[in-house]
Amino acid sequence: TTIQGLNIHPDGVHFVYPLGCKVVVQNWKTKKQVFLSGHTNAISAIAISPDGRHVASGQINHMGFKASVIIWSFEKCKQISKYELHKVRVESVTFTCDSKYLISLGGRDDCNIIVWDISKGDALCGGTASRGSSGNATLLCRTNVRGLCFVTGGEGTMRVWKILADQRQAQAMDVKFGLVKRHIICMVIDEWDTYAYCGTTTGDITKIKLNFDPDEDILDPVVNPVLVGCYGKYVNRKKLAAGEEPPRYSQDIPRLLWPCDMEGRIFVGAGDGTIELVKELPTVSLPPEGKKYNVKRPTLPQLTVLKATSVNCGVTSLQLLGDELFVATIQCEIFTLNIKTFDVKLHITCHKNAVYDIAFPHEYSAVFATCSKDDIRVWNTSTSQELLRITVPNFTCTGIQFSSDGKSIVSGWNDGEIRAFTPETGRLIYEIHNAHNKGVTAIAMTNCGRYIVSGGGEGQVRVWEVRATYQKLEGVLQEHKAPVSCIRISKTDREAVSASSDGTCVIWDIERMIRKHSLFANTQFMGVCYHPSGVQVVTTGTDRKIGYWEVYDGSLIREMEGSGVSGLNAIDITRNGEYILTGGNDQLVKLWNYHRGNPTYVGIGHAGVVTAVRFSPDNRHIITVSSDGGVFRWKCPYTIEPLPPSRESTRCSSRSTRSTCSEREEDWKQLEETPGDGNIEQLTAHSEPECTCVEEDEEDSPEAAAMAVSENVKPISAISKNDDIPKNNGTPKRGSTVNSRGTPKSSNSSQENGIPKVKHGTPKNNSTIKENGTAKVNGTSKYIGNGKGNGTPKSNTSIKLNGSPKSIGSQKGNFTPKNCSILKGADTPKSKLTSRKGTPKGDYCDCVPDKLIKE
């Protein structure tokens, strides 16, 4: 929306434009962007010096505060000088044609002009932009020949200024309009400072004769500048009918002009998206005045249209580079127009409103989708080009999710509807009407693609069964008293966690449609996600803290400060559970080490509140969005290899166990054949997920806490990323935990896995002996030889086995293989084994074969 915000550098390669409170310098050929940070609020004006050495920008500020103007060095991309002499808003900035001075114009609350000496870094002079009897000035325009002259225009006012550097003052001369009143919103001056062409809110173009002396050294006009005429478009008739008005341009939003050559041809961009190449006619024939029109009409049909096209949205900037005209629009789009053929090509698009959610397809990182008001857009991750736009006018999409098969995009809207679209054509597949009374605020989809879990503004969580022919409501979960802000589903598709602004975060059993646990905190929960191990959830909220919660009993394990100034709105975690990504109201994107609990990188660039963050499935990119409509793609500083499909853990019946693949069984067999610490380390580095833990200090070092600041993404932690530190199993340090690798697969041969086959004796409680040597008591797995049946070693001592099975007569129920002392039971709370006192809840091994423990 910044008028004349798109600027082309004199080198013809770089573009400069505002993005929220950042100034973007982009190489048009390589698409590389550099962000200039220094403003504290949205940028309202921007300009480039004619010599290309400097860039100036002004901003908006809150009522009662000063608005700053910053001068940047284009080569170094650094701030040179800054001054705060305007109140509330900077309306316009421009350089003189000799690039020695910067002129800035204040807004309605200021109405002053400041002339800044760039070489000295000091204000030279200033003055009031308009007289008291006229309206406020809203724009500046420099002359092209005289370095000490410029022109201001606005609501019923236009003045020609000259700078007296020796006297440190600026003098103005008013332009005579007579009885004609015009509100000027854009202005250009021809090459010789003879005429000025102004666009007005009435849809016509005014032509002003500046009356400068032919001698360039004379700054004063010979006589007062005067209005020549107000021009409209000429129709293809010799004369207009009596009382007929000449056609004008759209009046809804500003339109821009650009002189093409000395033949009087001008490019005009209108508020309705019309772009025309017009030429001024030497003479015009007027009809006789009718009886109803006694007053002479000021608008004359003086402009003939040579070529015309449209970009379908309001034009805010026009820039000419060679044979191409660059057009920027109010819809955050940049077009190029060939001035010979008038062919329009779209280059850059983006959201024009706040972006609320991000989604990647399942195990696919080449594309991603974002949602905002009125539309859903699908982007190419590598090129940042828009691939698809799905438009639903006048409604806001608050949540988005890809189905696991990639055949649909499921979205929730503020009108209470759930809509699914095809990801290639954007065709509507199905629509669930009245899904929530107060709009859909969060949405998630199971990995199997059969169920949708949605949250609404009334606080309800609803589960929907989705089929090709119908969509059915399976259940309503009522616990929250405020809007649901985020929903995530576990990998097993049996649990879901919902965060709400009422201060609760609820873990649901979506199979039995019941509540399992409620997490309470003195905050408004804004984001939540499952740890890949499935035993913990991580939350963020308005209290600026990141919380680690145990899924087993809903207890708070750890809490750390996520931001020092504002709340956190979004959170995501890598597939291996090593790093956390957060974004909040401080406009910063932070990358955290999950186990150490300290931030390692900070991303600076957003100009608004960060609303959503996501890791790409391959963990190579980070996508973040904000309330100003910006979509940022960051390079992930850590190289995290994705899990191969053959090594990914499959779903199992138990909450705490997972079936393993054949490759892992082969690794365990190889490990038993050649035991040794070196083989264990090699297997740990080779297989996923990791199950080893190390003790770490709770307090971070001062070097790790110090945050360095760079232009885009900056490392904070002083800890080397190549330190030989074993990976954790997803549980923060709250006690000593032994390293665990899981339990090998059981079989009837004791020579294969170290578990002897039991063929004699009857276990207690009338349990029946299985073939694999495991007794079953009321559906709960029990280890033979332990009368208590909980599998806990005596005196809480660590199990030390060498991998070889003991004799049957010496067995004491410790059937745990080497290097695995932490197991989880099959849906039985008492089946959790602890290695020693002080071990936090949730340190489970997720590598137990499904044949050892059955449900």
Side-chain angles (χ1 to χ4, degrees), residues 496-674:
V497 58
S498 61
S500 175
S501 57
D502 62 354
T504 62
C505 191
V506 181
I507 301 175
W508 308 93
D509 187 333
I510 57 178
E511 286 187 340
R512 295 182 293 173
M513 299 297 173
I514 61 173
R515 182 195 68 186
K516 297 187 67 175
H517 300 290
S518 292
L519 317 179
F520 297 95
N522 189 19
T523 180
Q524 296 181 5
F525 286 110
M526 302 301 296
V528 63
C529 66
Y530 272 98
H531 189 270
S533 63
V535 299
Q536 290 180 358
V537 293
V538 189
T539 61
T540 57
T542 56
D543 61 349
R544 312 188 304 273
K545 296 181 180 179
I546 302 174
Y548 295 28
W549 303 79
E550 180 66 41
V551 174
Y552 174 70
D553 57 0
S555 61
L556 179 63
I557 299 177
R558 186 179 191 179
E559 197 173 44
M560 57 189 182
E561 195 76 15
S563 175
V565 295
S566 60
L568 301 177
N569 300 324
I571 189 170
D572 197 20
I573 192 168
T574 55
R575 294 180 54 179
N576 62 355
E578 293 291 329
Y579 303 102
I580 300 175
L581 186 68
T582 61
N585 297 339
D586 55 0
Q587 304 176 5
L588 299 179
V589 178
K590 294 185 179 181
L591 190 63
W592 303 75
N593 186 293
Y594 182 84
H595 308 295
R596 297 183 182 274
N598 66 300
T600 58
Y601 286 85
V602 168
I604 302 174
H606 279 288
V609 174
V610 180
T611 55
V613 295
R614 287 291 185 278
F615 284 102
S616 62
D618 58 5
N619 291 311
R620 296 181 180 179
H621 300 283
I622 295 173
I623 306 297
T624 60
V625 295
S626 55
S627 60
D628 64 336
V631 179
F632 279 65
R633 177 170 55 91
W634 314 79
K635 180 181 178 181
C636 186
Y638 299 106
T639 303
I640 305 172
E641 295 296 335
L643 297 177
S646 60
R647 294 188 178 250
E648 289 186 354
S649 300
T650 58
R651 304 184 188 93
C652 59
S653 59
S654 174
R655 177 184 66 87
S656 59
T657 60
R658 297 179 183 176
S659 61
T660 56
C661 58
S662 58
E663 294 186 6
R664 175 162 301 190
E665 297 174 2
E666 295 175 1
D667 291 338
W668 276 107
K669 293 178 181 179
Q670 182 180 3
L671 174 63
E672 294 179 357
E673 292 174 1
T674 57

